[in-house]
Amino acid sequence: MAQPGIAGVVVRWIATIGVVLGLLGASFALGVRTAVKADEDPVDAPPTETGEAKPQYACSMFCVPPLDDPGKCPTCGMEMVEVGEISNRLTLSDDARRLAAVRTVAVERRFVTKPIDLVGKLALDELQTRSVTAPADGTIRTLAFGFPGLHVRRGDKLLEFRSDALLAAQEEAIRIAARVKRADGDEKAEALQAQQKIRAKLLAMGMVGQDVVAMEQRGTADGTTWIRSDYDGRVMGKHANAGAWVEAGTLIYTLGNLHALWLMLEAYESDLPWLRLGQEVEFEIEAMPGKKMGGKIAFMAPKIGATRTTMVRVAADARLGESFMLFMNPTTMMKPGMFVRARIKALLGEDGVAVHEQEIEDARPPMIIPVTAPLMTGKRALVYVEVPGERGVFEGREVLLGPRTDSHYIVYAGLAEGDRVVVHGAFKIDSSVQIVGGPSMMNVPAGEDDETARFRQTRCPVTGAIVNQAFYTDHDGKRIYFCCAACVKIFEATPRPYRERLDRDGIELADSPKPQTICPIMEKPIVRTIFADHDGKRVYFCCPPCIPRFLDDPERWLSKMRANNVELEPTPADAR
């Protein structure tokens, strides 16, 4: 029997291997198709019409869509949680409550203090500030106090002043004085009356009584006088120099007293409801850290300035208390212009405004909860309340909060006195509510007076989880959002049952954006060879002159296209 050649053996081996691989490939393909079909059938099947909802189980991380069987998540390995009827209540067993470290306190009514931190500067007490001005047109011959800061006592000479008007008045006073000496009877009485008038004029021009009498006795006038201080304090400002000619009323010196200062604070308009006249103020001068001082609000400006602040004046001087006296001497330590940080502790009433201590008996205390109780999401605040008579049951409530103090919030609505709110463990309760699809911190519940929130799509139609707007698809002219990419694929395979579910729930879907076909500048059809790339998007125009107009103010034209529901193409990768 002839033996096959080497070539024949090789051919038979190749044929045998090909048949085996073909059978394996067919078996593998059949198995894959069977596995895929088995996986898809439960998910893609439309909701049953038996009227009974079949329990489903969801992963708390939303790795996969809800499954029919309990167990561990096939992706992350976490225990699957049964998705029940959507509710704002959650029941915890004693063990679960202990593990979550849930702690509650009762809502109560009592007065609380709100700290208001303000900044400002020390300033001279304007009620004890004096201005020294020129009594007439004339010349400053000498300044006795050459620079600010010097002490001034009552009667000290401040400046020597010469004036032609003063000279004329002095000469007239000398003539009248001589006339008084010569006159008698009715003429003398008339001369005395004239002398009183001219002396009053000289006193108004800066002379003192003894200088006027000496001049009359001397019988000579030089048109000069020394202007004296009528005030004890310091020279806070020098506004003219020796030898200067000044007009009547020109400011020469500013005198002030450092013994009593004003604290000028700036309060924002949002702080005004909590400020009252007479409130105690505790402040600290930045240049003297650790030295706590006190005062009271003495005045509040009646208007708001350009910086949206108003001026609050605090009286602060050495007579406020012994502790103040022990720390400093205000005439040597406190200086006008020093930067100050102040704190006012406002006592709040029911309406959240400040209550004076004298009004406490007639005021009603506010309803308060600890600051750890509410879960804050933008303008919303959610608290979890222990349901009375139901052990381990907690209910989510949206509340309206007022001002916050260091440790409490004032509650305007949503709670009643005596309700027990969760102050520790609320976030864990909220996370559990989110897992089962209930209204939670991150989910705006339907509201009777908020149609937009009521019908806006916030839930994935496949899993019921919160949507992520990065995952969406357009179907029948509407844009539908999902929680993950897997749900997008599931919807696209069998969209009908999920669209019916959205329609049944009354969800208003957003219109699908339109591609750009019109130039935003001229509103004419675009030419696809004329375009500009801006912020990762490509904008088309009808003609080249439209491009610079767009680049001058791109946000204006982009807003116009967004308002028309136009979706721009992304800039190609090779053009970036």
Side-chain angles (χ1 to χ4, degrees):
M1 188 173 182
Q3 297 292 328
I6 296 175
V9 173
V10 171
V11 170
R12 284 198 299 271
W13 271 104
I14 292 176
T16 303
I17 293 173
V19 171
V20 171
L21 292 177
L23 292 173
L24 290 174
S27 175
F28 177 76
L30 180 61
V32 169
R33 285 198 300 272
T34 303
V36 171
K37 188 65 178 176
D39 289 340
E40 290 177 351
D41 283 345
V43 177
D44 292 346
T48 62
E49 300 179 358
T50 61
E52 295 183 0
K54 186 177 180 181
Q56 290 186 312
Y57 300 86
C59 172
S60 59
M61 299 301 293
F62 302 116
C63 299
V64 295
L67 303 178
D68 293 336
D69 299 321
K72 294 185 180 297
C73 173
T75 301
C76 67
M78 295 182 66
E79 195 71 27
M80 304 287 280
V81 180
E82 182 177 354
V83 180
E85 182 181 354
I86 294 178
S87 172
N88 64 341
R89 290 191 175 191
L90 182 73
T91 303
L92 295 180
S93 65
D94 292 342
D95 291 338
R97 181 170 179 171
R98 186 164 50 254
L99 288 173
V102 175
R103 185 164 58 87
T104 63
V105 299
V107 179
E108 60 179 334
R109 283 188 179 273
R110 64 180 173 88
F111 290 105
V112 290
T113 57
K114 175 179 175 60
I116 301 120
D117 294 317
L118 305 175
V119 296
K121 294 181 180 180
L122 293 177
L124 286 174
D125 183 349
E126 295 182 7
L127 299 178
Q128 300 190 43
T129 301
R130 300 288 187 273
S131 296
V132 179
T133 60
D137 295 349
T139 305
I140 300 173
R141 300 187 64 180
T142 307
L143 289 176
F145 295 85
F147 52 89
L150 297 174
H151 287 276
V152 175
R153 293 181 176 83
R154 188 182 301 271
D156 285 350
K157 294 181 178 180
L158 297 176
L159 63 110
E160 186 181 13
F161 185 75
R162 187 190 184 286
S163 170
D164 291 340
L166 178 61
L167 176 62
Q170 289 176 343
E171 291 175 346
E172 183 180 359
I174 292 173
R175 289 194 298 270
I176 292 176
R179 178 183 167 191
V180 169
K181 290 181 180 179
R182 294 192 303 269
D184 56 4
D186 293 339
E187 184 180 355
K188 188 176 182 67
E190 184 179 348
L192 289 173
Q193 186 176 5
Q195 188 179 48
Q196 290 179 356
K197 291 182 179 180
I198 193 62
R199 284 181 175 180
K201 183 177 180 179
L202 291 173
L203 294 177
M205 299 182 74
M207 296 188 70
V208 295
Q210 59 186 13
D211 292 340
V212 173
V213 173
M215 178 199 65
E216 291 175 346
Q217 293 175 352
R218 189 172 60 249
T220 58
D222 55 6
T224 64
T225 183
W226 278 95
I227 297 177
R228 290 174 167 81
S229 173
D230 61 349
Y231 181 76
D232 291 329
R234 287 175 180 260
V235 177
M236 303 309 301
K238 182 177 76 72
H239 312 286
N241 296 316
W245 185 90
V246 294
E247 296 179 349
T250 301
L251 181 64
I252 301 174
Y253 284 119
T254 298
L255 306 181
N257 192 337
L258 297 184
H259 180 72
L261 297 177
W262 281 350
L263 173 56
M264 309 296 287
L265 302 175
E266 288 189 355
Y268 287 100
E269 56 183 314
S270 58
D271 295 328
L272 295 183
W274 306 310
L275 301 180
R276 298 284 298 273
L277 291 177
Q279 279 179 323
E280 297 284 347
V281 180
E282 184 181 74
F283 63 94
E284 179 179 330
I285 301 174
E286 193 167 88
M288 291 173 266
K291 309 294 185 182
K292 300 292 184 181
M293 290 160 274
K296 290 187 177 182
I297 296 180
F299 176 77
M300 295 174 62
K303 64 179 182 178
I304 302 293
T307 59
R308 311 310 304 164
T309 60
T310 189
M311 184 271 293
V312 177
R313 189 180 76 209
V314 179
D317 65 343
R319 293 164 291 183
L320 287 177
E322 295 180 359
S323 59
F324 188 93
M325 290 293 293
L326 290 173
F327 287 140
M328 60 191 345
N329 179 356
T331 60
T332 59
M333 297 290 289
M334 296 174 66
K335 309 292 183 184
M338 281 185 169
F339 186 77
V340 174
R341 299 184 185 276
R343 168 166 284 200
I344 300 171
K345 294 182 179 180
L347 194 67
L348 302 186
E350 185 180 29
D351 53 359
V353 300
V355 176
H356 201 279
E357 293 181 356
Q358 300 175 353
E359 302 171 345
I360 291 181
E361 294 183 359
D362 299 328
R364 190 182 185 195
M367 187 162 55
I368 60 172
I369 58 174
V371 294
T372 57
L375 300 175
M376 311 294 291
T377 56
K379 295 182 178 180
R380 293 180 62 238
L382 184 73
V383 298
Y384 282 93
V385 181
E386 189 173 13
V387 178
E390 299 186 34
R391 184 175 179 82
V393 179
F394 298 92
E395 179 183 61
R397 293 187 195 173
E398 190 167 340
V399 296
L400 179 62
L401 299 179
R404 172 180 172 163
T405 68
D406 282 339
S407 57
H408 291 84
Y409 275 108
I410 291 179
V411 180
Y412 287 152
L415 293 173
E417 188 176 0
D419 286 343
R420 296 196 66 84
V421 296
V422 177
V423 295
H424 190 277
F427 191 79
K428 297 175 183 177
I429 295 176
D430 189 80
S431 300
S432 300
V433 174
Q434 289 187 45
I435 292 173
V436 298
S440 62
M441 175 177 67
M442 302 305 297
N443 176 31
V444 180
E448 295 180 358
D449 57 348
D450 188 358
E451 296 297 323
T452 302
R454 187 177 184 182
F455 297 114
R456 184 175 62 243
Q457 185 194 355
T458 60
R459 294 281 174 175
C460 172
V462 178
T463 65
I466 300 296
V467 299
N468 184 338
Q469 294 193 356
F471 304 109
Y472 62 86
T473 188
D474 294 317
H475 183 264
D476 285 345
K478 298 294 183 179
R479 176 153 289 185
I480 304 172
Y481 295 94
F482 303 88
C483 63
C484 60
C487 290
V488 177
K489 295 180 180 179
I490 294 171
F491 176 88
E492 290 175 342
T494 54
R496 181 178 176 181
Y498 304 108
R499 279 300 302 265
E500 290 176 352
R501 181 180 298 172
L502 292 170
D503 295 339
R504 191 167 56 248
D505 293 340
I507 302 300
E508 293 184 0
L509 300 172
D511 293 332
S512 298
K514 301 173 293 186
Q516 184 191 1
T517 58
I518 300 297
C519 171
I521 309 297
M522 302 300 295
E523 297 185 354
K524 295 181 179 180
I526 61 173
V527 178
R528 296 190 66 83
T529 57
I530 303 174
F531 59 84
D533 293 325
H534 176 77
D535 211 10
K537 298 293 183 180
R538 176 155 289 183
V539 184
Y540 294 96
F541 304 92
C542 62
C543 59
C546 291
I547 296 178
R549 290 188 61 187
F550 170 81
L551 296 177
D552 285 342
D553 190 5
E555 187 56 35
R556 171 188 174 186
W557 306 110
L558 292 174
S559 299
K560 178 181 178 181
M561 288 187 285
R562 284 195 295 267
N564 292 326
N565 201 27
V566 174
E567 185 173 51
L568 298 175
E569 297 177 5
T571 302
D574 56 357
R576 295 178 183 174

